[in-house]
Amino acid sequence: MAIWFARSRNLVSSLRQNLGWSAILIKRDNSPRPVVFTTSTAFFGPVGSHRHESTAVEKQPDFVQQRDEEDALELDFPGGKVGYTSEMKFIPESPSRRIPCYRVLDENGRIIPDSDFIPVSEKVAVKMYEQMATLQVMDHIFYEAQRQGRISFYLTSVGEEAINIASAAALSPDDVVLPQYREPGVLLWRGFTLEEFANQCFGNKADYGKGRQMPIHYGSNRHNYFTVSSPIATQLPQAAGVGYSLKMEKKNACAVTFMGDGGTSEGDFHAGLNFAAVMEAPVVFICRNNGWAISTHISEQFRSDGIVVKGQAYGIRSIRVDGNDALAVYSAVRSAREMAVKEQRPVLIEAMTYRVGHHSTSDDSTKYRAADEIQYWKMSRNPVNRFRKWVEDNGWWSEEDESKLRSNTRKQLLQAIQAAEKWDKQPLTELFNDVYDVKPKNLEDQEVGLKALIEKQPQDYPPGFHV
Amino acid sequence: MAALLGRFGRKLVSPGSSHGARRVSTTVCESETVKSLNLYSAINQALRIALETDPRSYVFGEDVGFGGVFRCTTGLAERFGKNRVFNTPLCEQGIVGFGIGLAAMGNRAIVEIQFADYIYPAFDQIVNEAAKFRYRSGNQFNCGGLTIRAPYGAVGHGGHYHSQSPEAFFCHVPGIKVVIPRSPQEAKGLLLSCIRDPNPVVFFEPKWLYRQAVEEVPEHDYMIPLSEAEVIREGNDITLVGWGAQLTIMEQACLDAEKEGISCELIDLKTLLPWDKETVEASVKKTGRLLISHEAPVTGGFGAEISATILERCFLKLEAPVSRVCGLDTPFPLVFEPFYMPTKNKILDAIKSTVNY
């Protein structure tokens, strides 16, 4: 066999020299098959940036490289060399085994033996737990405030506390966060106060957003947390641009952006991942796969093995993680962040979880899913309880700490809400500011017109907006 | 001469340069050098100056690297590097979204959409994100550094998808600016203003003029103010308002009308959003008649906004209804383009019926 190949190689090389652009490929069965080759393109090396290499068609046609192994033949196409096979085989629609889910803590809050994970100190662990519990209390109280008619709208992150807090803990404060809307825990971790949350929900004079958006549309430039907007997934290509800016400025920081399972169906998901990959931008994409997009279960959202498998389609390194395991989330996000910054590349994390709450206060999820399914996840798969067990087992937390935290936080929140309610409303002029950097003439005219109308018919307008 | 004659027999000299008093709003010093440039070269110069004067500015879009399908970005990648001037994947929502992210971090993102006909996938990013970025954040964030450039308008053979004038869609969006230059000299100054304006701007370039319009363009860095319309031809009997390539046609109509004793005042709006109502109002109060012309279909076109506003402000001064000479309410057709377009003679007819109302 080796001899045959040696002979045929000589034959092929002499043919190569004589025939110009084509060559006759001799296979083991000795049936010559004429093969036409495309002209060569630049070969992309295994390391380093490929972005600026030329794919110009100037070089002489390259020929099939024949190797000793059968079918280890390659062809040149734009995009590099690709192996060649005569077996017609379709890649299956799904991997034979679902991509496994990385976890560190079992359901009882015990570290699984031989887990890879990045240890967290007592200080960090306790802060993480406290914040997860605070987020729970905050969600509960604001939700109730909406039910009482004190705020117009709210949406909770119940069930996703580990994703919220552990991801935030794994980032640096300089990392720029572009949220979807179910990640207030990231802002909480960074130091946004309960009063600041309340002010935005009430849209009062102290709201940094100046009362322009619905509750939960938080934003804080001080905390590197871009303002939430309702449209789904629009933040994803923006994150690629943010990451590119950080890359160009050579900052030790990356963009971190969140989306839900539903968001991955949007065109902006495709746009965001593709751009981040092509531009080699340091972006961590975190998908909270919580099983539901309002009433649409993931079985109606995509046919792939979740979201993690989509990363490779864009040339993006990806991982699936147990989103209800705070330690696993912490390790995965921390590692992804380091990769993104050191290697200047995007990384995709699919965090598996469950949306325990309704989509929002405008939703009643018992209309489309079983009450006992919700109950199961709330009680038996609760990420806060799970992490609490681990923290307690380490001797870092007690029942006393727990009740103190819960009652203090509750008190603080009620005070924050009462205070927020009492705050003045935004002055009317804020209706017209910030549409542009400077108010244009048409808005000046409209402001004058509106003031005159208010004076004429004050009963048409809600009170308290200082003119 | 033959080279200058475009379709429909019109002569393509920059409007406003041949007849009548012209109020020049550019700051062109006598001592500065000028160079004869076409539109794409003038835009190329503006982009080069923008990249030179702000190291945190970027130019990108489909095929921008080799110079662009209309050559507006020729030489920029070589000069400023592929990290600052680069091709993007074929995805308008990605291009604009990426640009918003860059701009939000304080950079100038000068984005190219290959044809205005393809801007719609980016409409969500433009309307829901860019336009509202500052307002919704309470001015904590903004994407003012974003400028979106797109070739628009009829080209003689473009059909449905290489001829559109989508400006009206964008004029309905508070928070962005919409600017359309009429000539190479205007384009350079306006584009530099757009790039440096702290608001997201959509800049439509009349593709018909890329090669056809040639003008002396000052070589230095200059800016033409936004939201200031210009009276490019003074007259007393009727006010004509237009923008972009259509002004060339309108000016021909004005010349023909003059031969019949009708004195036309021609205004280049330049910025459609926010637009300079005062200049148009003052003119119509003088002439008592208004005619608006644009290539985009008449229904819901920007002419309707101008008409309604002027009616509100000048009703008692009007001698005749406001006239709109615009494209038909059809998709932009190929073989029927000469019938679809608001031609010189359609405008001339409308001038005469308005004056004789």
Side-chain angles (χ1 to χ4, degrees):
Chain A
M1 162 108 130
I3 298 161
W4 183 89
F5 266 92
R7 260 198 288 136
S8 67
R9 205 183 299 135
N10 291 335
L11 179 59
V12 167
S13 54
S14 72
L15 281 169
R16 242 190 239 172
Q17 274 146 28
N18 295 324
L19 287 175
W21 58 267
S22 72
I24 293 172
L25 184 69
I26 299 165
K27 289 220 68 183
R28 228 196 311 171
D29 63 3
N30 255 359
S31 57
R33 249 182 260 158
V35 182
V36 177
F37 305 113
T38 58
T39 49
S40 88
T41 57
F43 176 69
F44 292 108
V47 293
S49 167
H50 312 321
R51 275 203 66 235
H52 302 304
E53 284 182 28
S54 167
T55 55
V57 179
E58 315 104 46
K59 299 182 194 164
Q60 279 300 305
D62 219 354
F63 294 99
V64 163
Q65 320 261 353
Q66 189 163 7
R67 299 200 191 134
D68 281 350
E69 311 84 50
E70 183 192 338
D71 279 359
L73 304 157
E74 289 183 322
L75 287 175
D76 268 338
F77 280 110
K81 290 193 162 83
V82 65
Y84 179 104
T85 175
S86 303
E87 185 192 358
M88 183 177 71
K89 192 173 168 203
F90 286 73
I91 302 170
E93 62 274 17
S94 51
S96 51
R97 186 176 158 241
R98 289 195 65 183
I99 303 294
C101 192
Y102 166 61
R103 70 157 33 177
V104 173
L105 287 175
D106 65 20
E107 288 300 339
N108 297 315
R110 296 215 179 86
I111 291 187
I112 296 164
D114 296 326
S115 311
D116 300 327
F117 71 103
I118 300 169
V120 292
S121 65
E122 173 180 352
K123 188 158 168 243
V124 173
V126 168
K127 184 179 175 192
M128 278 169 66
Y129 179 71
E130 283 176 336
Q131 297 259 295
M132 286 167 73
T134 302
L135 180 56
Q136 275 188 326
V137 179
M138 181 174 105
D139 271 348
H140 175 71
I141 296 196
F142 278 129
Y143 188 90
E144 289 308 308
Q146 193 278 341
R147 277 334 200 201
Q148 293 164 16
R150 293 161 93 180
I151 56 177
S152 59
F153 175 85
Y154 193 73
L155 68 69
T156 67
S157 309
V158 179
E160 304 184 47
E161 296 86 354
I163 296 176
N164 265 252
I165 301 300
S167 67
L171 301 172
S172 98
D174 296 329
D175 296 327
V176 179
V177 174
L178 293 90
Q180 179 61 73
Y181 48 57
R182 217 181 286 279
E183 305 91 14
V186 177
L187 198 48
L188 182 68
W189 176 272
R190 288 184 166 195
F192 212 60
T193 66
L194 299 176
E195 289 75 23
E196 287 171 317
F197 281 111
N199 289 335
Q200 195 282 329
C201 288
F202 281 88
N204 61 29
K205 194 168 176 198
D207 170 24
Y208 304 135
K210 301 188 187 169
R212 290 158 182 166
Q213 290 209 92
M214 287 165 68
I216 70 90
H217 290 66
Y218 315 111
S220 176
N221 54 3
R222 256 189 318 127
H223 299 101
N224 283 324
Y225 188 95
F226 272 36
T227 301
V228 171
S229 70
S230 310
I232 300 294
T234 48
Q235 68 278 9
L236 303 180
Q238 293 171 19
V242 169
Y244 191 74
S245 177
L246 293 168
K247 172 191 174 90
M248 290 299 290
E249 302 299 309
K250 296 189 165 59
K251 296 267 200 272
N252 179 5
C254 64
V256 181
T257 185
F258 294 83
M259 79 219 78
D261 39 281
T264 68
S265 295
E266 278 283 359
D268 273 340
F269 172 80
H270 166 71
L273 267 67
N274 196 34
F275 268 69
V278 169
M279 301 305 298
E280 296 173 8
V283 185
V284 179
F285 292 95
I286 302 177
C287 175
R288 295 175 293 95
N289 182 350
N290 64 20
W292 295 93
I294 310 189
S295 70
T296 305
H297 183 254
I298 49 177
S299 56
E300 296 179 313
Q301 197 67 248
F302 39 70
R303 278 285 173 279
S304 53
D305 172 17
I307 286 95
V308 65
V309 293
K310 299 185 196 225
Q312 198 170 60
Y314 298 99
I316 293 178
R317 202 173 289 167
S318 330
I319 190 169
R320 165 174 281 156
V321 67
D322 179 348
N324 287 2
D325 176 348
L327 284 187
V329 172
Y330 179 87
S331 290
V333 174
R334 179 89 182 261
S335 307
R337 191 243 171 229
E338 297 309 323
M339 276 180 223
V341 176
K342 284 203 182 71
E343 297 177 53
Q344 296 286 290
R345 58 162 66 242
V347 182
L348 172 66
I349 297 175
E350 178 185 16
M352 312 295 284
T353 184
Y354 185 85
R355 193 198 74 208
V356 172
H358 306 304
H359 165 70
S360 73
T361 49
S362 307
D363 178 46
D364 172 11
S365 61
T366 60
K367 282 196 162 65
Y368 51 80
R369 57 185 187 175
D372 42 311
E373 172 188 307
I374 306 170
Q375 216 28 30
Y376 163 73
W377 281 91
K378 187 171 181 172
M379 306 311 289
S380 328
R381 303 288 292 275
N382 187 316
V384 184
N385 293 348
R386 188 164 158 203
F387 192 60
R388 176 180 167 181
K389 284 181 193 144
W390 183 71
V391 177
E392 279 180 340
D393 282 350
N394 284 333
W396 298 339
W397 193 254
S398 71
E399 187 59 55
E400 201 197 322
D401 294 325
E402 180 77 17
S403 49
K404 221 175 3 161
L405 174 77
R406 297 243 170 207
S407 71
N408 282 347
T409 307
R410 193 188 149 78
K411 211 182 323 168
Q412 250 190 293
L413 269 156
L414 292 171
Q415 282 171 351
I417 288 176
Q418 279 172 8
E421 244 169 354
K422 291 207 186 75
W423 262 101
D424 280 352
K425 301 227 183 351
Q426 288 281 343
L428 189 68
T429 191
E430 292 300 348
L431 167 56
F432 297 99
N433 287 340
D434 305 327
V435 179
Y436 297 92
D437 65 318
V438 167
K439 214 183 298 179
K441 188 86 182 25
N442 61 318
L443 286 182
E444 281 175 359
D445 293 343
Q446 287 176 13
E447 189 171 8
V448 168
L450 183 62
K451 282 182 185 167
L453 268 171
I454 295 171
E455 226 168 290
K456 249 202 300 194
Q457 299 140 0
Q459 70 283 355
D460 272 2
Y461 302 98
F465 291 88
H466 177 70
V467 168
Chain B
M1 182 58 181
L4 281 174
L5 279 170
R7 68 218 152 112
F8 322 127
R10 65 180 183 179
K11 194 168 70 170
L12 288 146
V13 174
S14 279
S17 60
S18 52
H19 251 297
R22 182 184 173 200
R23 243 193 293 142
V24 177
S25 55
T26 57
T27 50
V28 182
C29 310
E30 289 295 329
S31 54
E32 301 282 359
T33 49
V34 295
K35 199 169 168 193
S36 196
L37 291 180
N38 60 23
L39 181 64
Y40 75 73
S41 301
I43 286 166
N44 185 263
Q45 258 194 24
L47 294 174
R48 186 177 49 75
I49 290 171
L51 289 162
E52 263 166 7
T53 52
D54 185 353
R56 293 186 72 200
S57 52
Y58 299 83
V59 170
F60 52 93
E62 295 155 27
D63 302 296
V64 151
F66 87 104
V69 294
F70 289 110
R71 306 198 211 166
C72 295
T73 52
T74 310
L76 299 179
E78 287 87 337
R79 187 178 178 132
F80 297 98
K82 288 177 174 179
N83 286 329
R84 291 182 66 200
V85 179
F86 49 87
N87 291 343
T88 61
L90 209 170
C91 178
E92 288 77 12
Q93 65 198 97
I95 292 168
V96 174
F98 185 88
I100 291 171
L102 259 181
M105 297 294 284
N107 302 292
R108 287 189 215 279
I110 307 158
V111 141
E112 178 175 304
I113 298 294
Q114 198 156 87
F115 283 85
D117 313 56
Y118 311 139
I119 200 167
Y120 309 108
F123 201 66
D124 186 33
Q125 286 284 349
I126 296 169
V127 172
N128 274 331
E129 298 291 313
K132 299 169 173 56
F133 214 82
R134 186 193 293 275
Y135 192 77
R136 74 189 189 199
S137 72
N139 202 22
Q140 293 186 90
F141 298 100
N142 75 77
C143 62
L146 178 69
T147 303
I148 301 168
R149 297 175 39 243
Y152 90 98
V155 74
H157 54 272
H160 296 356
Y161 303 114
H162 298 84
S163 317
Q164 287 178 39
S165 297
E167 67 273 8
F169 298 118
F170 298 93
C171 291
H172 195 53
V173 186
I176 56 169
K177 296 193 175 182
V178 179
V179 177
I180 305 181
R182 71 171 186 269
S183 75
Q185 185 188 9
E186 288 286 311
K188 179 178 168 180
L190 285 169
L191 181 54
L192 280 167
S193 290
C194 293
I195 290 167
R196 291 161 176 168
D197 190 282
N199 297 288
V201 183
V202 181
F203 186 76
F204 288 116
E205 299 166 359
K207 67 172 83 70
W208 172 241
L209 300 183
Y210 274 144
R211 282 195 276 187
Q212 297 283 357
V214 179
E215 197 176 26
E216 300 278 280
V217 178
E219 297 209 274
H220 65 282
D221 180 349
Y222 66 94
M223 302 201 290
I224 294 175
L226 302 185
S227 295
E228 281 184 27
E230 182 186 351
V231 178
I232 62 177
R233 182 195 169 81
E234 285 183 5
N236 297 301
D237 297 328
I238 180 171
T239 301
L240 282 80
V241 176
W243 50 88
Q246 191 63 10
L247 285 165
T248 317
I249 313 275
M250 294 167 86
E251 190 170 42
Q252 295 306 309
C254 292
L255 288 169
D256 280 9
E258 192 171 40
K259 295 190 187 110
E260 302 193 32
I262 301 171
S263 160
C264 301
E265 182 144 294
L266 182 59
I267 298 178
D268 177 7
L269 208 57
K270 303 193 203 193
T271 301
L272 272 60
L273 183 77
W275 67 282
D276 178 0
K277 302 177 186 179
E278 283 65 36
T279 298
V280 179
E281 181 185 352
S283 172
V284 176
K285 281 186 169 155
K286 179 176 77 166
T287 64
R289 296 176 188 87
L290 176 62
L291 184 152
I292 307 151
S293 185
H294 56 67
E295 284 179 26
V298 63
T299 298
F302 195 63
E305 154 66 22
I306 300 171
S307 174
T309 300
I310 293 304
L311 261 147
E312 281 166 10
R313 293 182 176 215
C314 308
F315 184 69
L316 291 175
K317 297 276 190 176
L318 284 167
E319 299 286 340
V322 175
S323 174
R324 290 181 295 162
V325 183
C326 303
L328 301 172
D329 288 330
T330 68
F332 199 105
L334 182 65
V335 302
F336 306 106
E337 178 170 330
F339 300 91
Y340 168 94
M341 288 291 281
T343 58
K344 179 201 75 164
N345 284 331
K346 283 186 189 174
I347 296 170
L348 186 57
D349 258 9
I351 290 173
K352 287 194 268 197
S353 13
T354 305
V355 166
N356 296 327
Y357 186 77

